Amino acid sequence: QVQLVESGGGVVQPGRSLRLSCAASGFTFSSYGIHWVRQAPGKGLEWVAFIWYDGSNKYYADSVKGRFTISRDNFKNTLYLQMISLRAEDTAVYYCARSAFVVSAPRPVDYWGQGTLVTVSS
Amino acid sequence: DIQMTQSPSSLSASVGDRVTITCRASQGIFNYLAWYQQKPGKVPELLIYAASTLQSGVPSRFSGSGSGTDFTLTISSLQPEDVATYYCQKYNSAPLTFGGGTKVEIK
């Protein structure tokens, strides 16, 4: 079965960096684009970033552009989100989420991880 | 960027009622629209994609319609297990913006 397991969350001070990881299993990781989606406590869903199946194209929300970098290692079946210059408003549960269908362009999410909580606080 | 506006932000209805949630895009997005259900304390689940195509395993009481800028999610007969927050999402191009959500409760 499809599994996405995020790790790397925690408490970090404003301005510092953090890298999230997402270990994928149960499907051909190298064939699917993957999203990061976040949800601040008690708030709605916010799309963060997307990477093509082969890593050749990446897209970001304006709120994180220039500060977050999405990447993947198809040999390790792992997705990453490098976050720098973190702000209080980046506090959220971060979900790794598979894009439905084996196509290049971003598509809706058909599988979600359980999420990892990032808290930005001094 | 295209904005996605959902209405209402919350609603309360009785079991068996027909419930309708709307999602409006600030520009046309053809049918590149998905709906998700997020139950309390759970991760979201995909209900509908391509505006009207039901994801596998989703009960047939859920349906979607619309194209261009105006979309609708309908629950034909509300059930207790449908208590959740519902989100729309555009995916014609990045950013893949979500709507603000509609919280559905039982009266």
Side-chain angles (χ1 to χ4, degrees):
Chain A
Q1 70 281 21
V2 173
Q3 281 200 310
L4 300 162
V5 180
E6 303 91 340
S7 61
V11 180
V12 61
Q13 294 179 328
R16 302 298 290 263
S17 302
L18 202 62
R19 188 177 82 157
L20 306 183
S21 299
C22 170
S25 61
F27 66 103
T28 305
F29 180 72
S30 59
S31 295
Y32 288 84
I34 309 289
H35 303 268
W36 285 102
V37 177
R38 69 184 181 184
Q39 188 167 32
K43 302 296 184 183
L45 300 171
E46 181 184 13
W47 177 81
V48 174
F50 175 82
I51 187 168
W52 275 27
Y53 67 102
D54 61 356
S56 61
N57 284 284
K58 306 171 186 181
Y59 308 99
Y60 299 94
D62 288 345
S63 59
V64 307
K65 202 172 293 183
R67 299 188 300 122
F68 289 12
T69 302
I70 188 171
S71 62
R72 65 191 297 161
D73 185 333
N74 284 348
F75 295 103
K76 295 183 177 179
N77 288 350
T78 303
L79 177 77
Y80 303 100
L81 186 67
Q82 178 69 50
M83 306 183 291
I84 67 170
S85 302
L86 283 161
R87 307 166 179 166
E89 54 265 36
D90 295 319
T91 294
V93 173
Y94 284 74
Y95 296 103
C96 164
R98 193 182 82 166
S99 187
F101 317 121
V102 182
V103 294
S104 299
R107 288 295 179 260
V109 172
D110 61 353
Y111 287 94
W112 302 71
Q114 288 302 306
T116 186
L117 176 62
V118 173
T119 302
V120 184
S121 173
S122 54
Chain B
D1 292 344
I2 297 173
Q3 306 304 312
M4 305 300 293
T5 304
Q6 280 184 243
S7 61
S9 57
S10 65
L11 66 89
S12 182
S14 300
V15 172
D17 281 356
R18 184 181 184 87
V19 169
T20 298
I21 298 168
T22 63
C23 179
R24 175 164 290 174
S26 59
Q27 298 175 40
I29 59 171
F30 302 98
N31 69 334
Y32 291 98
L33 193 283
W35 290 98
Y36 299 88
Q37 175 193 64
Q38 186 176 30
K39 295 182 179 181
K42 302 295 186 181
V43 299
E45 292 187 4
L46 179 63
L47 293 177
I48 288 168
Y49 61 92
S52 61
T53 302
L54 212 61
Q55 174 72 341
S56 176
V58 173
S60 59
R61 64 180 179 274
F62 291 93
S63 64
S65 64
S67 182
T69 60
D70 295 311
F71 302 88
T72 300
L73 173 69
T74 300
I75 309 173
S76 61
S77 176
L78 187 67
Q79 301 301 304
E81 59 266 33
D82 300 335
V83 168
T85 301
Y86 294 83
Y87 297 91
C88 62
Q89 182 194 32
K90 63 170 277 291
Y91 59 93
N92 61 310
S93 62
L96 277 68
T97 310
F98 287 93
T102 297
K103 187 174 184 178
V104 174
E105 298 176 322
I106 300 291
K107 194 180 295 182

